[in-house]
């Protein structure tokens, strides 16, 4: 037993509000129902809640500035004055300018698109990509949020560590629109951070934390030089001017390429991830500075399972062979932003299940237990891990064992299938379609909620949805779309919907996790072996197909996405879990086909998400099981059945070949926010799958004009053979309003028609 009481630290705390107060307040603010002051009040309460919880748990290093109205990277851009002119020129209030950059603005003051958004490392959180151009001058901006929030915590009796996205990560993640690249901004960034550190030090901060997760990527020599240039300048001046201590915080992996540099820089504290950082311990053993404090990320900030104290303790013992126990701080592996607030919000799951969970607030207790080595807590934990949590389902294991290579290969090949399908579907050039969901209006949500609460019967629930489906199909026909969808009114969430109907998942009531802005997801938990015991979507799809002569797409979520957007098990491999889910969805695909559904879309929205951060790990750790899992789902269909897939936010330039190898017939993807850069990659790879790069951004309410869409399609056909191009929005429409959706889709169809006329 490790008996030295140690300090504890947290990298970041959830910030959406325990009951998603920030989401609801923000939505009211956008609708003009509450004032900015009221929104600010909610935000302050949320911050206070987190600080007080951490204080009560006895956390030694509590972060501030981990709050955000939308995203911390966007906050950093505003902090440093990196706000593109088109947003500043709208002449809005500071907060409204911020929201304009986050989700676009269309109103009396102008019409601008949002900044692009990207997945935050290997999480399902998205950050806003800062945009720097030749006129950008980085300098500390007027409203210094980290100082404001530091003071706010201090006034409430909580001494915090202001947490900042570090300059290296900020400049690495930014996009450069002019001739000036990252290097040109290094000096001004350093000055801004320096000034900020001084101000924080004056305000009373003892430590500041600079998050540099970009160090866990592959860091090449040029990047290494860049990192060194930034930090040698910053640290030297900082130690000369301000008395604040600097914690270099890394997470989401190990820093194998820069470890030697990091430990020789003179940081007062270094934060290292021992959970995802496969090589962290090995690196640590090469040495650690005598006077620095190690912030050891040992409690997993991403999973929801209880930590195994015995194992964590053994890890701490290994760590303390290198670093004196008095200089080891027990911390989270990353921000707790990626887990829900508390298990205490769950009333429905049995205590026997809940005892295996640790969300953010429970992880605070785990940190304290591990730091104190509390005997009773260790005993209780040992009892929890003494027996296997669940037993295997023999039939599922047998199906997996029986798989052969043929089960992963669809025949005939794509070229042959294309000819067969062209004869079956009478589609025009530039076929138009949508990604699946239509606006989830209040009445749609109310219908689902009423059914869930038992206020209406199943028949009433179905009848309402059928009416919605019929209306949605009539709308699509009147708009002139070629391939129809049913609208997904029965679904709350593309993963939760399937999880609830497949055996093996369990669900929480309130375990929400932020995805982008104030949007949250409530991931299912993979609890035991998975299988499908009854059809899921067949009745809805068959009903929808009866409403129209045009093909209606069956709409499913793929195994990799279901797994990536769930909390996976830790007792069997991800590959095994993906195959189990794939077999369940495969049953559904074959049932849809048997019931006359001719086009089936299998969404893999999150395929890229869990791609290892280091390229060298991509295939062996991930793609080698993820792509086959997708093929397993559809390899059994007839040649004439057209398989679509869809991906979002996918920067998949570098995995284009793997995407092609999924062997779908058509893929639609998010592109409008990433400036269609992917098109070059498709071109270079001679991409075979037909493609629908999204022609407008559905994450914003603005309506794209016909001209704008025509231009986008022109840019697409510059790079992609015209015969392969589909025309569609970039993602599902469920978060949009009905009016803007209809207007946008009309323009989309008009644009496709214009292109057909030109051809
Ligand atoms: N079919 C889903 C929808 O349209 C896809 C959502 C997604 O890609 N995130 O909502
Ligand atoms: Zn999408």
């Amino acid at each position: 037993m490790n008996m030295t009481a140690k300090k504890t630290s947290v990298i970041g705390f959830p910030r959406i509000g325990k009951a998603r107060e920030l989401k609801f307040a923000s939505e009211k603010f956008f609708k003009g129902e509450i004032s900015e002051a009221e929104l600010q009040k909610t935000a302050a309460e949320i911050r206070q809640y987190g600080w007080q919880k951490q204080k009560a748990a006895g956390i030694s290093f509590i972060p501030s500035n981990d709050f955000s109205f939308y995203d911390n990277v966007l906050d950093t851009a505003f902090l440093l004055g990196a706000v593109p002119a088109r947003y500043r020129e709208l002449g809005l209030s500071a907060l409204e300018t911020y929201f304009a950059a986050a989700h676009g603005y269309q109103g009396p003051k102008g019409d601008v698109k949002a900044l692009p958004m990207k997945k935050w490392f290997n999480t399902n959180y998205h950050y806003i990509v800062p945009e720097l151009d030749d006129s950008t001058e980085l300098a500390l901006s007027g409203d210094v949020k980290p100082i404001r929030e530091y003071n706010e915590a201090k006034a409430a009796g909580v001494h915090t560590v202001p947490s900042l996205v570090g300059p290296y990560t900020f400049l690495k993640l930014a996009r450069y629109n002019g001739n000036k690249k990252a290097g040109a901004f290094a000096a001004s960034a350093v000055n801004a951070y320096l000034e900020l550190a001084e101000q924080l030090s004056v305000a009373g901060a003892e430590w500041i934390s600079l998050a540099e997760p970009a160090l866990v990527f592959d860091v090449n020599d040029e990047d290494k030089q860049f990192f060194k240039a930034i930090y040698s300048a910053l640290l030297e001046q900082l130690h000369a001017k301000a008395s604040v201590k600097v914690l270099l915080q890394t997470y989401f992996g190990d820093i194998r390429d820069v470890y030697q540099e990091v430990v020789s820089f003179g940081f007062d504290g270094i934060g290292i991830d021992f959970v995802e950082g496969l090589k962290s311990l090995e690196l640590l053993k090469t040495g650690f500075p005598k006077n620095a404090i190690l912030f050891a990320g040992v409690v997993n900030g991403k999973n929801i399972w209880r930590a195994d104290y015995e194992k964590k303790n053994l890890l701490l013992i290994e760590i303390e062979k290198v670093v004196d126990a008095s200089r080891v701080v027990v911390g989270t592996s990353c921000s707790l932003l990626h887990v829900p607030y508390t298990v205490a919000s769950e009333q429905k799951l049995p205590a026997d299940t809940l005892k295996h969970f640790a969300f953010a607030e429970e992880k605070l207790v785990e940190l304290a237990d591990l730091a104190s080595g509390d005997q009773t807590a260790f005993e209780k934990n040992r009892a929890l891990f003494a027996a296997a949590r669940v037993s295997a389902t023999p039939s599922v294991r047998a199906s997996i064992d029986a798989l052969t290579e043929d089960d992963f290969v669809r025949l005939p090949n794509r070229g042959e299938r294309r000819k067969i399908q062209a004869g079956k579907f009478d589609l025009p050039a530039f076929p138009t379609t949508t990604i699946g969901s239509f606006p989830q209006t209040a009445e749609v949500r109310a219908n689902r909620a009423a059914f869930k609460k038992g206020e209406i019967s199943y028949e009433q629930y179905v009848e309402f949805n059928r009416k919605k489906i019929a209306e949605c199909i009539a709308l699509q026909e009147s708009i002139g779309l070629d391939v129809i969808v049913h609208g997904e009114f029965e679904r709350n969430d593309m993963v939760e919907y399937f999880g609830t109907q497949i055996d093996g998942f369990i669900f929480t009531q309130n375990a929400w996790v932020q995805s982008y802005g104030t949007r949250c997801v409530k991931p299912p938990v993979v609890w035991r072996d998975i299988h499908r015991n009854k059809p899921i979507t067949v009745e809805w799809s068959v009903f929808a197909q009866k409403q129209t002569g045009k093909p209606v797409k069956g709409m499913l979520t793929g195994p990799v996405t279901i797994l990536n957007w769930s909390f996976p098990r830790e007792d069997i491999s991800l590959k095994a879990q993906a195959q189990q889910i794939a077999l369940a969805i495969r049953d559904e695909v074959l049932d849809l086909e048997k019931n006359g559904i001719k086009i089936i879309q299998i969404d893999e929205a999150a395929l890229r998400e869990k791609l290892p951060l280091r390229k060298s790990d991509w295939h062996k750790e991930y793609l080698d099981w993820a792509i086959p899992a997708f093929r397993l789902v559809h390899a059994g269909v007839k040649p004439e059945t057209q398989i679509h897939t869809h991906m979002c936010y996918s920067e998949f330039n570098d995995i284009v070949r793997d995407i092609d190898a999924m062997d779908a017939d058509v893929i639609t993807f998010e592109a409008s926010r990433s400036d269609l850069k992917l098109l070059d990659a498709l071109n270079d790879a001679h991409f075979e799958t037909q493609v629908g790069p999204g022609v407008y951004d559905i994450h914003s309410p603005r309506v794209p004009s016909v001209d704008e869409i025509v231009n986008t399609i022109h840019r697409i056909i510059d790079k992609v053979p015209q015969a392969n191009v589909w025309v569609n929005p970039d993602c599902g429409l469920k978060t949009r309003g009905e009016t803007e959706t209809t207007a946008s889709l009309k323009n989309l169809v008009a644009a496709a028609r214009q292109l057909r006329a030109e051809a």
Side-chain angles (χ1 to χ4, degrees), residues 605 646-648 730-732:
H646 164 75
M647 293 182 186
C648 341
D730 68 0
C731 195

Side-chain angles (χ1 to χ4, degrees), residues 327-390:
R327 287 186 291 115
V328 175
V329 173
V330 182
T332 55
S333 64
C334 63
S335 169
L336 298 176
L337 171 73
H338 308 294
V339 291
Y341 270 82
T342 174
V343 179
S345 298
E346 303 304 321
Q347 275 88 39
K348 294 209 175 134
L349 288 168
D352 247 10
T353 301
L354 293 176
K355 71 180 183 194
H356 292 282
F357 293 161
F359 300 171
E361 291 179 25
E362 290 74 31
K363 286 178 194 285
L364 300 178
V365 178
E366 295 191 333
L367 289 169
D369 287 347
L370 288 166
S372 69
D374 180 83
Q375 287 282 359
T376 328
F378 268 72
E379 272 316 315
K380 206 173 146 205
N381 187 270
R382 193 171 298 128
L384 187 69
F385 282 90
R389 191 176 46 76
V390 289

Side-chain angles (χ1 to χ4, degrees), residues 434-438 488 491 494 555-557 565 601 603-606 646-649 730-734:
T434 62
I435 307 306
S437 59
F438 265 68
E488 303 184 21
R491 301 181 192 181
M494 63 189 288
M555 194 60 64
L556 306 174
T557 304
W565 281 350
Q601 179 172 312
D603 290 329
E604 282 292 14
H646 164 75
M647 293 182 186
C648 341
Y649 301 121
D730 68 0
C731 195
L733 300 163
K734 73 175 187 188

